[in-house]
Amino acid sequence: QVQLVESGGGLVQAGGSLRLSCAASGRTFSNYAMGWFRQAPGKEREFVAAISSRGGRTRYADSVQSRFTISRDNAKNTVFLHMNSLRPDDTAIYYCAATERSYSLNRYDYWGQGTQVSVSA
């Protein structure tokens, strides 16, 4: 089992920045690819970003490419999502997730409880 706890969400004005963190515990963190997803009110959960277990490879949804950056610190068992140039349509609950599969497969086994990000116009 892997336990994931997100933090760093909040209210920010459009154009602003936030950094989300996801702290992992329970298993060897460096064995897991990590992802960020989000779910806006009335919408399905969608992929945001993913990073390979060692951090060498990343991928992003088109909607966040060049604005968001995913990174990880395996020594601290933490994955981050740096969000810049935030827009009102980035408003959602953001979830981190972990998988022992490849980061490219978009299939995750463990999920955090989510952190709210709200962007005002």
Side-chain angles (χ1 to χ4, degrees), residues 30-109:
S30 59
N31 288 344
Y32 291 83
M34 301 296 295
W36 285 97
F37 291 76
R38 66 186 182 186
Q39 187 167 19
K43 295 187 177 181
E44 293 188 354
R45 185 174 62 195
E46 65 175 0
F47 167 77
V48 175
I51 188 167
S52 60
S53 60
R54 303 294 180 177
R57 292 169 291 178
T58 59
R59 66 186 188 96
Y60 298 91
D62 289 344
S63 60
V64 307
Q65 184 79 45
S66 79
R67 299 188 299 123
F68 291 11
T69 302
I70 188 171
S71 63
R72 67 190 295 161
D73 185 340
N74 283 352
K76 296 183 178 179
N77 292 354
T78 303
V79 62
F80 304 97
L81 186 66
H82 306 258
M83 305 186 294
N84 297 318
S85 302
L86 283 161
R87 309 185 305 220
D89 62 358
D90 293 316
T91 295
I93 299 175
Y94 283 71
Y95 300 89
C96 74
T99 180
E100 289 184 283
R101 303 180 183 88
S102 169
Y103 81 113
S104 63
L105 292 179
N106 228 27
R107 292 173 59 192
Y108 290 83
D109 303 300

